[in-house]
Protein backbone atom coordinates (compact mmCIF):
# COMPACT_ATOMS: atom_id res chain seq x y z
CA UNK A 1 0.00 0.00 0.00
CA UNK A 2 2.90 2.37 0.70
CA UNK A 3 4.68 1.95 -2.64
CA UNK A 4 3.17 5.01 -4.40
CA UNK A 5 3.95 7.15 -1.33
CA UNK A 6 7.52 5.92 -1.15
CA UNK A 7 8.07 6.41 -4.87
CA UNK A 8 6.70 9.95 -4.73
CA UNK A 9 8.73 10.87 -1.67
CA UNK A 10 11.98 9.61 -3.20
CA UNK A 11 11.39 11.51 -6.44
CA UNK A 12 10.21 14.67 -4.67
CA UNK A 13 13.26 14.87 -2.41
CA UNK A 14 15.55 14.40 -5.42
CA UNK A 15 13.78 17.21 -7.30
CA UNK A 16 13.45 19.44 -4.23
CA UNK A 17 16.69 19.27 -2.24
CA UNK A 18 15.47 22.30 -0.28
CA UNK A 19 12.88 20.06 1.41
CA UNK A 20 15.42 17.34 2.18
CA UNK A 21 17.93 19.95 3.39
CA UNK A 22 15.61 21.74 5.81
CA UNK A 23 14.18 18.47 7.11
CA UNK A 24 17.68 17.17 7.88
CA UNK A 25 17.28 14.00 5.82
CA UNK A 26 20.60 12.16 5.59
CA UNK A 27 22.27 12.32 2.19
CA UNK A 28 20.42 15.44 1.02
CA UNK A 29 22.11 16.85 -2.07
CA UNK A 30 23.90 20.17 -1.61
CA UNK A 31 22.15 21.65 -4.64
CA UNK A 32 19.30 23.98 -5.47
CA UNK A 33 16.13 22.93 -7.31
CA UNK A 34 16.54 23.66 -11.03
CA UNK A 35 13.92 26.33 -11.92
CA UNK A 36 13.81 25.26 -15.56
CA UNK A 37 10.77 24.64 -17.78
CA UNK A 38 12.06 21.10 -18.29
CA UNK A 39 12.12 20.46 -14.53
CA UNK A 40 8.62 21.93 -14.23
CA UNK A 41 7.37 19.60 -16.96
CA UNK A 42 8.96 16.60 -15.27
CA UNK A 43 7.24 17.60 -12.04
CA UNK A 44 3.86 17.82 -13.75
CA UNK A 45 4.30 14.30 -15.14
CA UNK A 46 5.54 12.99 -11.80
CA UNK A 47 2.71 14.53 -9.79
CA UNK A 48 0.03 13.42 -12.25
CA UNK A 49 1.40 9.90 -12.04
CA UNK A 50 1.43 9.98 -8.23
CA UNK A 51 -2.18 11.18 -8.07
CA UNK A 52 -3.28 8.46 -10.48
CA UNK A 53 -1.36 5.72 -8.65
CA UNK A 54 -2.67 6.67 -5.23
CA UNK A 55 -6.24 6.93 -6.54
CA UNK A 56 -6.05 3.21 -7.38
CA UNK A 57 -4.92 2.25 -3.88
CA UNK A 58 -7.09 1.55 -0.84
CA UNK A 59 -7.32 4.50 1.52
CA UNK A 60 -3.83 4.93 2.92
CA UNK A 61 -4.79 7.48 5.54
CA UNK A 62 -2.73 10.54 6.32
CA UNK A 63 0.32 9.66 4.22
CA UNK A 64 -1.74 9.21 1.07
CA UNK A 65 -3.59 12.42 1.86
CA UNK A 66 -0.34 14.35 2.33
CA UNK A 67 1.00 13.18 -1.03
CA UNK A 68 -2.24 13.94 -2.84
CA UNK A 69 -2.38 17.48 -1.46
CA UNK A 70 1.26 18.24 -2.30
CA UNK A 71 1.12 16.55 -5.72
CA UNK A 72 -2.11 18.33 -6.64
CA UNK A 73 -0.54 21.68 -5.78
CA UNK A 74 2.68 21.14 -7.72
CA UNK A 75 0.78 19.67 -10.65
CA UNK A 76 -1.32 22.83 -10.91
CA UNK A 77 1.66 25.11 -10.23
CA UNK A 78 3.81 23.50 -12.93
CA UNK A 79 1.02 23.24 -15.49
CA UNK A 80 0.35 26.95 -15.01
CA UNK A 81 4.03 27.86 -15.51
CA UNK A 82 3.87 29.77 -12.22
CA UNK A 83 7.68 30.13 -12.01
CA UNK A 84 7.35 32.73 -14.76
CA UNK A 85 5.45 35.09 -12.45
CA UNK A 86 6.81 34.07 -9.05
CA UNK A 87 9.43 36.48 -7.73
CA UNK A 88 9.30 34.88 -4.28
CA UNK A 89 11.30 31.93 -5.62
CA UNK A 90 14.37 34.19 -5.87
CA UNK A 91 14.58 34.38 -2.07
CA UNK A 92 14.98 30.61 -1.72
CA UNK A 93 18.76 30.29 -2.36
CA UNK A 94 19.61 32.80 0.37
CA UNK A 95 17.27 31.08 2.82
CA UNK A 96 18.81 27.69 2.07
CA UNK A 97 22.35 28.99 2.50
CA UNK A 98 21.49 30.64 5.81
CA UNK A 99 19.72 27.50 6.97
CA UNK A 100 22.75 25.40 6.07
CA UNK A 101 25.16 27.76 7.82
CA UNK A 102 23.04 27.79 10.97
CA UNK A 103 22.99 24.00 11.19
CA UNK A 104 26.48 23.14 9.89
CA UNK A 105 28.30 21.14 12.57
CA UNK A 106 31.63 20.44 10.83
CA UNK A 107 33.63 20.97 7.64
CA UNK A 108 31.33 18.62 5.74
CA UNK A 109 28.35 20.80 6.63
CA UNK A 110 30.16 23.94 5.52
CA UNK A 111 31.33 22.22 2.33
CA UNK A 112 27.67 21.63 1.52
CA UNK A 113 26.98 25.35 2.05
CA UNK A 114 29.82 26.22 -0.33
CA UNK A 115 28.52 23.75 -2.92
CA UNK A 116 25.04 25.20 -2.75
CA UNK A 117 26.39 28.76 -2.95
CA UNK A 118 28.23 27.79 -6.13
CA UNK A 119 24.87 26.95 -7.70
CA UNK A 120 23.25 30.34 -7.00
CA UNK A 121 24.41 32.16 -10.18
CA UNK A 122 22.93 29.49 -12.46
CA UNK A 123 19.71 29.36 -10.40
CA UNK A 124 19.18 33.13 -10.58
CA UNK A 125 20.14 33.34 -14.24
CA UNK A 126 17.54 30.71 -15.09
CA UNK A 127 14.91 32.36 -12.93
CA UNK A 128 15.58 35.68 -14.67
CA UNK A 129 14.69 33.88 -17.92
CA UNK A 130 11.49 32.61 -16.30
CA UNK A 131 10.49 36.12 -15.28
CA UNK A 132 11.32 37.51 -18.71
CA UNK A 133 9.04 34.89 -20.21
CA UNK A 134 6.26 35.85 -17.82
CA UNK A 135 6.67 39.57 -18.52
CA UNK A 136 6.54 38.91 -22.26
CA UNK A 137 3.30 36.96 -21.77
CA UNK A 138 1.72 39.72 -19.64
CA UNK A 139 2.22 37.79 -16.38
CA UNK A 140 4.82 39.92 -14.60
CA UNK A 141 4.62 39.95 -10.78
CA UNK A 142 2.72 42.49 -8.71
CA UNK A 143 4.28 45.97 -8.79
CA UNK A 144 4.42 46.30 -4.99
CA UNK A 145 6.16 42.95 -4.67
CA UNK A 146 8.66 43.92 -7.36
CA UNK A 147 9.52 47.17 -5.56
CA UNK A 148 10.03 45.33 -2.28
CA UNK A 149 12.39 42.81 -3.85
CA UNK A 150 14.40 45.48 -5.66
CA UNK A 151 14.60 47.78 -2.64
CA UNK A 152 15.14 45.29 0.21
CA UNK A 153 14.90 41.55 -0.38
CA UNK A 154 17.48 41.13 -3.14
CA UNK A 155 20.07 43.58 -1.75
CA UNK A 156 19.56 41.99 1.67
CA UNK A 157 20.16 38.54 0.19
CA UNK A 158 23.33 39.74 -1.54
CA UNK A 159 24.66 41.10 1.76
CA UNK A 160 23.68 37.99 3.72
CA UNK A 161 25.34 35.62 1.25
CA UNK A 162 28.50 37.73 1.23
CA UNK A 163 28.71 37.32 5.01
CA UNK A 164 28.83 33.50 4.98
CA UNK A 165 32.66 33.22 4.98
CA UNK A 166 32.84 35.37 8.10
CA UNK A 167 30.46 32.98 9.84
CA UNK A 168 32.57 29.99 8.80
CA UNK A 169 35.73 31.71 10.02
CA UNK A 170 34.07 32.48 13.35
CA UNK A 171 33.32 28.75 13.70
CA UNK A 172 37.05 28.08 13.19
CA UNK A 173 36.64 26.15 9.97
CA UNK A 174 39.74 25.34 7.94
CA UNK A 175 41.35 28.07 5.84
CA UNK A 176 40.96 25.99 2.67
CA UNK A 177 37.22 25.64 3.30
CA UNK A 178 36.84 29.36 4.06
CA UNK A 179 38.62 30.15 0.79
CA UNK A 180 36.27 27.86 -1.19
CA UNK A 181 33.26 29.37 0.52
CA UNK A 182 34.54 32.91 -0.05
CA UNK A 183 34.83 32.36 -3.79
CA UNK A 184 31.37 30.78 -4.03
CA UNK A 185 29.74 33.37 -1.77
CA UNK A 186 31.25 36.27 -3.73
CA UNK A 187 29.88 34.88 -6.99
CA UNK A 188 26.46 34.23 -5.38
CA UNK A 189 26.32 37.75 -3.93
CA UNK A 190 27.25 39.26 -7.29
CA UNK A 191 24.56 37.11 -8.93
CA UNK A 192 21.94 38.50 -6.56
CA UNK A 193 22.94 42.05 -7.48
CA UNK A 194 22.82 41.25 -11.20
CA UNK A 195 19.42 39.62 -10.74
CA UNK A 196 18.19 42.73 -8.88
CA UNK A 197 19.26 44.80 -11.87
CA UNK A 198 17.31 42.54 -14.23
CA UNK A 199 14.19 42.80 -12.07
CA UNK A 200 14.51 46.60 -11.81
CA UNK A 201 15.34 47.19 -15.46
CA UNK A 202 13.38 44.51 -17.32
CA UNK A 203 10.59 43.19 -15.10
CA UNK A 204 9.51 46.29 -13.18
CA UNK A 205 8.32 48.17 -16.31
CA UNK A 206 5.87 45.30 -16.98
CA UNK A 207 4.83 44.78 -13.34
CA UNK A 208 1.09 44.57 -12.81
CA UNK A 209 -1.18 46.24 -10.27
CA UNK A 210 -3.43 44.23 -7.99
CA UNK A 211 -2.31 40.69 -8.87
CA UNK A 212 -4.58 38.18 -7.08
CA UNK A 213 -5.19 34.44 -7.16
CA UNK A 214 -8.82 34.46 -8.28
CA UNK A 215 -11.78 32.72 -6.65
CA UNK A 216 -11.23 29.35 -8.33
CA UNK A 217 -7.60 29.18 -7.21
CA UNK A 218 -8.50 30.26 -3.67
CA UNK A 219 -11.11 27.50 -3.47
CA UNK A 220 -8.64 24.93 -4.78
CA UNK A 221 -5.90 25.86 -2.32
CA UNK A 222 -8.25 25.93 0.64
CA UNK A 223 -9.93 22.58 0.01
CA UNK A 224 -7.41 20.53 -1.93
CA UNK A 225 -4.15 21.79 -0.43
CA UNK A 226 -4.94 22.96 3.11
CA UNK A 227 -7.85 20.65 3.82
CA UNK A 228 -10.13 23.56 4.76
CA UNK A 229 -13.62 22.41 3.85
CA UNK A 230 -15.48 25.37 5.38
CA UNK A 231 -17.04 27.53 2.64
CA UNK A 232 -15.43 30.91 2.01
CA UNK A 233 -18.51 32.85 3.13
CA UNK A 234 -18.56 30.95 6.42
CA UNK A 235 -14.85 31.62 6.98
CA UNK A 236 -15.48 35.30 6.37
CA UNK A 237 -18.37 35.31 8.83
CA UNK A 238 -16.20 33.69 11.52
CA UNK A 239 -13.42 36.21 10.93
CA UNK A 240 -15.71 39.23 10.96
CA UNK A 241 -17.29 38.08 14.22
CA UNK A 242 -13.85 37.57 15.75
CA UNK A 243 -12.73 40.98 14.51
CA UNK A 244 -15.78 42.70 15.96
CA UNK A 245 -15.23 40.99 19.32
CA UNK A 246 -11.56 41.94 19.44
CA UNK A 247 -12.20 45.55 18.46
CA UNK A 248 -14.75 45.94 21.23
CA UNK A 249 -12.04 44.95 23.71
CA UNK A 250 -9.38 47.35 22.45
CA UNK A 251 -8.81 50.80 23.87
CA UNK A 252 -6.96 52.30 20.91
CA UNK A 253 -5.20 55.10 22.78
CA UNK A 254 -3.98 52.66 25.43
CA UNK A 255 -2.85 50.24 22.73
CA UNK A 256 -0.74 52.90 21.01
CA UNK A 257 0.97 53.73 24.32
CA UNK A 258 1.68 50.07 25.00
CA UNK A 259 3.04 49.40 21.50
CA UNK A 260 5.34 52.42 21.72
CA UNK A 261 7.32 50.96 24.64
CA UNK A 262 10.58 49.46 23.34
CA UNK A 263 13.53 47.81 25.09
CA UNK A 264 16.52 50.01 25.81
CA UNK A 265 18.85 47.54 24.11
CA UNK A 266 18.88 44.34 22.10
CA UNK A 267 20.15 42.48 25.16
CA UNK A 268 17.08 43.62 27.08
CA UNK A 269 14.79 42.36 24.31
CA UNK A 270 16.53 38.97 24.20
CA UNK A 271 16.40 38.68 27.98
CA UNK A 272 12.64 39.19 27.75
CA UNK A 273 12.21 36.41 25.19
CA UNK A 274 14.37 34.02 27.23
CA UNK A 275 12.51 34.80 30.43
CA UNK A 276 9.09 34.17 28.93
CA UNK A 277 10.18 30.97 27.19
CA UNK A 278 11.30 29.59 30.55
CA UNK A 279 8.15 30.73 32.32
CA UNK A 280 5.86 29.38 29.61
CA UNK A 281 7.70 26.04 29.67
CA UNK A 282 7.24 25.74 33.42
CA UNK A 283 3.62 26.86 33.14
CA UNK A 284 2.53 24.17 30.67
CA UNK A 285 4.62 21.48 32.34
CA UNK A 286 3.38 22.19 35.88
CA UNK A 287 -0.26 22.25 34.77
CA UNK A 288 0.15 19.21 32.48
CA UNK A 289 -1.33 21.07 29.53
CA UNK A 290 1.12 19.93 26.85
CA UNK A 291 3.79 17.19 26.76
CA UNK A 292 7.17 18.90 27.22
CA UNK A 293 10.15 16.97 25.79
CA UNK A 294 13.18 16.69 28.05
CA UNK A 295 16.41 18.40 27.11
CA UNK A 296 15.02 21.11 24.84
CA UNK A 297 17.72 23.42 23.50
CA UNK A 298 16.09 26.36 21.76
CA UNK A 299 18.71 28.79 20.45
CA UNK A 300 18.22 32.48 19.63
CA UNK A 301 20.24 33.70 16.65
CA UNK A 302 20.31 36.91 14.56
CA UNK A 303 17.92 37.09 11.62
CA UNK A 304 19.85 37.27 8.31
CA UNK A 305 18.95 40.07 5.93
CA UNK A 306 16.65 39.25 3.03
CA UNK A 307 14.55 36.88 5.19
CA UNK A 308 11.32 37.53 7.17
CA UNK A 309 11.28 41.11 5.94
CA UNK A 310 9.99 43.47 8.63
CA UNK A 311 9.58 40.81 11.32
CA UNK A 312 10.90 40.97 14.87
CA UNK A 313 11.34 37.22 15.46
CA UNK A 314 10.64 34.11 13.44
CA UNK A 315 10.96 30.39 14.03
CA UNK A 316 13.27 28.08 12.14
CA UNK A 317 12.27 24.60 13.23
CA UNK A 318 14.65 21.85 14.18
CA UNK A 319 15.64 19.68 11.18
CA UNK A 320 13.08 17.03 11.98
CA UNK A 321 15.02 14.01 10.73
CA UNK A 322 18.37 15.04 12.21
CA UNK A 323 18.34 13.90 15.87
CA UNK A 324 21.14 16.35 16.72
CA UNK A 325 19.74 19.34 14.89
CA UNK A 326 18.69 22.41 16.87
CA UNK A 327 15.64 24.60 16.51
CA UNK A 328 16.03 28.37 16.48
CA UNK A 329 14.18 31.59 17.00
CA UNK A 330 15.76 34.22 14.78
CA UNK A 331 15.56 37.83 15.94
CA UNK A 332 15.89 41.23 14.29
CA UNK A 333 19.05 42.94 15.53
CA UNK A 334 17.52 46.42 15.86
CA UNK A 335 16.20 47.02 19.42
CA UNK A 336 13.30 49.13 18.14
CA UNK A 337 12.00 46.16 16.12
CA UNK A 338 10.84 44.59 19.40
CA UNK A 339 7.79 45.96 21.22
CA UNK A 340 8.25 45.18 24.90
CA UNK A 341 4.63 44.06 25.32
CA UNK A 342 4.97 41.60 22.42
CA UNK A 343 7.88 39.59 23.84
CA UNK A 344 5.71 37.38 26.04
CA UNK A 345 3.26 36.39 23.34
CA UNK A 346 5.98 35.93 20.73
CA UNK A 347 7.91 33.68 23.13
CA UNK A 348 4.80 31.52 23.40
CA UNK A 349 4.01 31.54 19.67
CA UNK A 350 7.50 31.12 18.22
CA UNK A 351 9.05 29.21 21.12
CA UNK A 352 7.33 27.21 23.85
CA UNK A 353 4.71 25.81 23.74
CA UNK A 354 4.33 27.05 20.15
CA UNK A 355 6.47 26.38 17.09
CA UNK A 356 9.66 25.22 18.79
CA UNK A 357 7.98 22.74 21.11
CA UNK A 358 5.91 21.44 18.21
CA UNK A 359 8.95 20.91 15.99
CA UNK A 360 11.17 19.38 18.66
CA UNK A 361 8.37 16.95 19.55
CA UNK A 362 8.14 15.93 15.90
CA UNK A 363 11.92 15.61 15.80
CA UNK A 364 11.89 13.15 18.74
CA UNK A 365 9.23 10.98 17.09
CA UNK A 366 10.20 11.48 13.43
CA UNK A 367 9.94 8.43 11.19
CA UNK A 368 11.24 8.83 7.65
CA UNK A 369 8.49 6.45 6.54
CA UNK A 370 6.06 9.32 7.20
CA UNK A 371 8.27 12.13 5.89
CA UNK A 372 5.66 13.00 3.24
CA UNK A 373 3.56 14.64 5.97
CA UNK A 374 6.33 17.14 6.71
CA UNK A 375 7.15 18.33 3.18
CA UNK A 376 7.02 22.12 2.98
CA UNK A 377 6.95 22.54 6.76
CA UNK A 378 9.83 25.07 6.74
CA UNK A 379 8.51 28.57 6.06
CA UNK A 380 11.08 29.48 3.44
CA UNK A 381 10.37 26.32 1.46
CA UNK A 382 6.63 26.93 1.68
CA UNK A 383 6.93 30.61 0.76
CA UNK A 384 9.03 29.92 -2.34
CA UNK A 385 6.07 28.51 -4.26
CA UNK A 386 3.14 29.22 -1.94
CA UNK A 387 2.46 25.68 -0.71
CA UNK A 388 0.74 25.94 2.67
CA UNK A 389 -0.49 22.38 3.08
CA UNK A 390 1.13 22.05 6.51
CA UNK A 391 0.70 25.66 7.65
CA UNK A 392 -2.86 25.25 8.92
CA UNK A 393 -1.46 22.80 11.46
CA UNK A 394 1.73 24.73 12.24
CA UNK A 395 0.26 28.23 12.69
CA UNK A 396 -3.00 26.83 14.06
CA UNK A 397 -1.05 25.05 16.81
CA UNK A 398 0.86 28.19 17.81
CA UNK A 399 -2.31 30.29 18.09
CA UNK A 400 -4.09 27.44 19.89
CA UNK A 401 -1.26 27.50 22.43
CA UNK A 402 -1.69 31.25 22.90
CA UNK A 403 -5.41 30.81 23.48
CA UNK A 404 -4.84 27.91 25.89
CA UNK A 405 -2.39 29.91 27.99
CA UNK A 406 -4.69 32.91 28.04
CA UNK A 407 -7.58 30.73 29.26
CA UNK A 408 -5.33 29.35 32.01
CA UNK A 409 -4.18 32.77 33.23
CA UNK A 410 -0.65 33.02 31.85
CA UNK A 411 -1.38 36.51 30.52
CA UNK A 412 -2.25 38.48 33.63
CA UNK A 413 -1.68 42.22 33.10
CA UNK A 414 -3.96 44.69 31.38
CA UNK A 415 -1.22 45.49 28.87
CA UNK A 416 -0.71 41.83 27.96
CA UNK A 417 -4.44 41.23 27.53
CA UNK A 418 -4.77 44.37 25.44
CA UNK A 419 -1.98 43.20 23.14
CA UNK A 420 -3.56 39.74 22.98
CA UNK A 421 -6.82 41.26 21.73
CA UNK A 422 -4.83 43.26 19.19
CA UNK A 423 -3.25 40.02 17.90
CA UNK A 424 -6.72 38.50 17.60
CA UNK A 425 -7.81 41.51 15.56
CA UNK A 426 -4.80 41.18 13.25
CA UNK A 427 -5.46 37.49 12.59
CA UNK A 428 -9.13 38.06 11.86
CA UNK A 429 -8.22 40.96 9.58
CA UNK A 430 -5.81 38.73 7.68
CA UNK A 431 -8.55 36.18 7.00
CA UNK A 432 -10.84 38.83 5.53
CA UNK A 433 -7.97 40.43 3.60
CA UNK A 434 -6.70 37.16 2.13
CA UNK A 435 -10.12 35.90 1.10
CA UNK A 436 -11.67 39.11 -0.16
CA UNK A 437 -8.55 40.42 -1.89
CA UNK A 438 -7.66 37.17 -3.65
CA UNK A 439 -11.21 36.30 -4.70
CA UNK A 440 -11.62 39.78 -6.17
CA UNK A 441 -14.36 40.78 -3.74
CA UNK A 442 -12.22 43.59 -2.34
CA UNK A 443 -10.67 46.00 -4.88
CA UNK A 444 -6.90 46.18 -4.47
CA UNK A 445 -7.07 49.96 -3.95
CA UNK A 446 -9.38 49.47 -0.95
CA UNK A 447 -7.26 46.88 0.85
CA UNK A 448 -4.94 49.27 2.71
CA UNK A 449 -7.85 51.33 3.99
CA UNK A 450 -9.66 48.22 5.18
CA UNK A 451 -6.65 46.97 7.16
CA UNK A 452 -5.97 50.38 8.68
CA UNK A 453 -9.55 50.79 9.82
CA UNK A 454 -9.91 47.20 11.05
CA UNK A 455 -6.79 47.33 13.21
CA UNK A 456 -6.53 51.03 13.99
CA UNK A 457 -2.95 51.04 12.76
CA UNK A 458 -1.20 53.61 10.54
CA UNK A 459 -1.35 53.42 6.76
CA UNK A 460 2.29 52.31 6.43
CA UNK A 461 1.70 49.32 8.69
CA UNK A 462 -1.51 48.46 6.83
CA UNK A 463 0.30 48.69 3.51
CA UNK A 464 2.85 46.15 4.77
CA UNK A 465 0.04 43.74 5.67
CA UNK A 466 -1.42 44.01 2.17
CA UNK A 467 2.02 43.43 0.66
CA UNK A 468 2.38 40.35 2.87
CA UNK A 469 -0.89 38.97 1.50
CA UNK A 470 0.30 39.57 -2.06
CA UNK A 471 3.66 37.89 -1.46
CA UNK A 472 2.33 34.81 0.37
CA UNK A 473 -1.39 34.64 -0.46
CA UNK A 474 -3.59 32.68 1.99
CA UNK A 475 -0.78 32.08 4.50
CA UNK A 476 -2.20 34.86 6.68
CA UNK A 477 -5.54 33.12 7.14
CA UNK A 478 -3.95 29.92 8.49
CA UNK A 479 -3.48 31.35 12.01
CA UNK A 480 -7.13 31.92 12.88
CA UNK A 481 -8.58 29.22 10.62
CA UNK A 482 -6.12 26.62 11.94
CA UNK A 483 -6.76 27.57 15.55
CA UNK A 484 -10.53 27.30 15.09
CA UNK A 485 -10.14 23.85 13.51
CA UNK A 486 -8.00 22.62 16.41
CA UNK A 487 -10.46 24.08 18.93
CA UNK A 488 -13.24 22.11 17.23
CA UNK A 489 -11.21 18.92 17.60
CA UNK A 490 -10.62 19.69 21.27
CA UNK A 491 -14.33 20.12 21.95
CA UNK A 492 -14.99 16.68 20.49
CA UNK A 493 -12.15 14.89 22.27
CA UNK A 494 -12.74 12.66 25.28
CA UNK A 495 -9.76 13.23 27.52
CA UNK A 496 -7.63 15.87 29.18
CA UNK A 497 -5.46 18.55 27.59
CA UNK A 498 -2.26 16.55 27.92
CA UNK A 499 -3.72 13.52 26.13
CA UNK A 500 -5.31 15.62 23.41
CA UNK A 501 -2.16 17.56 22.63
CA UNK A 502 0.02 14.43 22.71
CA UNK A 503 -2.25 12.71 20.17
CA UNK A 504 -2.44 15.80 17.97
CA UNK A 505 1.34 16.20 17.92
CA UNK A 506 1.79 12.51 17.12
CA UNK A 507 0.02 13.01 13.78
CA UNK A 508 2.55 15.51 12.46
CA UNK A 509 1.59 18.67 10.52
CA UNK A 510 -1.56 17.36 8.89
CA UNK A 511 -4.62 19.60 8.46
CA UNK A 512 -6.90 19.29 11.51
CA UNK A 513 -9.78 18.32 9.24
CA UNK A 514 -7.84 15.27 8.07
CA UNK A 515 -7.04 14.04 11.57
CA UNK A 516 -10.62 12.82 11.91
CA UNK A 517 -9.66 9.93 9.64
CA UNK A 518 -7.41 8.51 12.35
CA UNK A 519 -10.41 7.83 14.53
CA UNK A 520 -8.92 9.03 17.82
CA UNK A 521 -11.40 11.88 18.23
CA UNK A 522 -14.77 10.89 19.59
CA UNK A 523 -17.78 13.17 20.06
CA UNK A 524 -18.39 13.93 23.70
CA UNK A 525 -21.54 12.31 25.14
Amino acid sequence: MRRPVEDFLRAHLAAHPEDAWTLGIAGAAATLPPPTPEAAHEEVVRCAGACAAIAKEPDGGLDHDAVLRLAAFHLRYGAGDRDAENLELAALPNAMLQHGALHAKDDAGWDAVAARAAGVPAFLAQHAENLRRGAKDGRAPDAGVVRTFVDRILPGAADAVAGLPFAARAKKRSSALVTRLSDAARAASDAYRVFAGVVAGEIAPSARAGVVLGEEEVGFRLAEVMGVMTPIDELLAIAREELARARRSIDHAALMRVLAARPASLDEALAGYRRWIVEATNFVRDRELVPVPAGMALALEPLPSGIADGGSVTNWPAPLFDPEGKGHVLYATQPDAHATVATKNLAVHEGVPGHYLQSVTWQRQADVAHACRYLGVADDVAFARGYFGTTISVEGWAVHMEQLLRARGFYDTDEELLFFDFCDAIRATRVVLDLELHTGRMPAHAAVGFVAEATGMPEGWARAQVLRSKRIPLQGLTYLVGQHAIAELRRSFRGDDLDFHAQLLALGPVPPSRSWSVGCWRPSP
Side-chain angles (χ1 to χ4, degrees), residues 276-321:
W276 294 123
I277 287 169
V278 170
E279 293 203 15
T281 302
N282 293 335
F283 190 90
V284 297
R285 180 191 288 122
D286 293 347
R287 288 159 180 77
E288 298 185 332
L289 300 177
V290 182
V292 178
M296 293 191 297
L298 174 61
L300 274 69
E301 295 286 346
L303 179 65
S305 59
I307 294 173
D309 184 46
S312 54
V313 293
T314 191
N315 170 262
W316 271 14
L320 302 182
F321 297 95

Side-chain angles (χ1 to χ4, degrees), residues 387-402:
Y387 173 74
F388 300 124
T390 64
T391 312
I392 284 284
S393 173
V394 172
E395 296 299 353
W397 169 270
V399 180
H400 174 66
M401 289 295 102
E402 293 178 38

Side-chain angles (χ1 to χ4, degrees), residues 9 22 86 172 175 196 219 268 276 339 356 358 365 379 382 392 473 485:
L9 179 62
T22 54
N86 180 14
K172 302 189 181 342
S175 59
E268 181 181 318
W276 294 123
Y356 173 71
Q358 186 184 46
Q365 67 189 27
D379 277 351
I392 284 284

Side-chain angles (χ1 to χ4, degrees), residues 87-335:
L87 190 48
E88 206 68 36
L89 184 60
L92 182 64
N94 178 40
M96 294 304 93
L97 292 172
Q98 303 306 327
H99 190 281
L102 194 60
H103 292 98
K105 308 182 190 74
D106 50 27
D107 276 8
W110 282 99
D111 266 328
V113 174
R116 180 167 272 127
V120 171
F123 180 99
L124 292 177
Q126 176 57 57
H127 195 41
E129 289 302 312
N130 293 336
L131 294 173
R132 289 186 179 107
R133 182 173 70 253
K136 182 179 179 180
D137 293 344
R139 296 185 293 127
D142 181 88
V145 174
V146 169
R147 284 194 300 272
T148 298
F149 268 74
V150 170
D151 293 346
R152 295 197 303 277
I153 304 301
L154 298 174
D159 291 343
V161 169
L164 289 172
F166 300 98
R169 192 175 292 116
K171 296 292 184 181
K172 302 189 181 342
R173 305 289 27 127
S174 69
S175 59
L177 187 150
V178 172
T179 298
R180 287 197 302 277
L181 180 59
S182 296
D183 292 342
R186 186 181 307 111
S189 179
D190 290 345
Y192 260 116
R193 298 193 190 283
V194 170
F195 183 82
V198 170
V199 175
E202 300 181 44
I203 308 305
S206 302
R208 296 175 289 164
V211 177
V212 298
L213 294 178
E215 187 147 4
E216 181 184 0
E217 183 69 16
V218 169
F220 165 77
R221 294 193 185 194
L222 286 173
E224 304 301 327
V225 178
M226 300 184 197
V228 177
M229 308 312 295
T230 308
I232 290 174
D233 287 340
E234 190 173 333
L235 292 174
L236 285 168
I238 292 169
R240 290 192 182 103
E241 182 179 351
E242 179 68 14
L243 178 58
R245 181 208 61 77
R247 289 181 61 177
R248 287 194 298 269
S249 302
I250 295 173
D251 179 327
H252 183 69
L255 175 64
M256 292 299 102
R257 289 193 298 271
V258 167
L259 291 176
R262 304 282 155 157
S265 65
L266 181 60
D267 285 343
E268 181 181 318
L270 297 181
Y273 290 122
R274 292 189 179 100
R275 171 196 171 189
W276 294 123
I277 287 169
V278 170
E279 293 203 15
T281 302
N282 293 335
F283 190 90
V284 297
R285 180 191 288 122
D286 293 347
R287 288 159 180 77
E288 298 185 332
L289 300 177
V290 182
V292 178
M296 293 191 297
L298 174 61
L300 274 69
E301 295 286 346
L303 179 65
S305 59
I307 294 173
D309 184 46
S312 54
V313 293
T314 191
N315 170 262
W316 271 14
L320 302 182
F321 297 95
D322 176 1
E324 298 179 3
K326 289 184 177 180
H328 297 82
V329 169
L330 307 184
Y331 58 84
T333 56
Q334 304 83 13

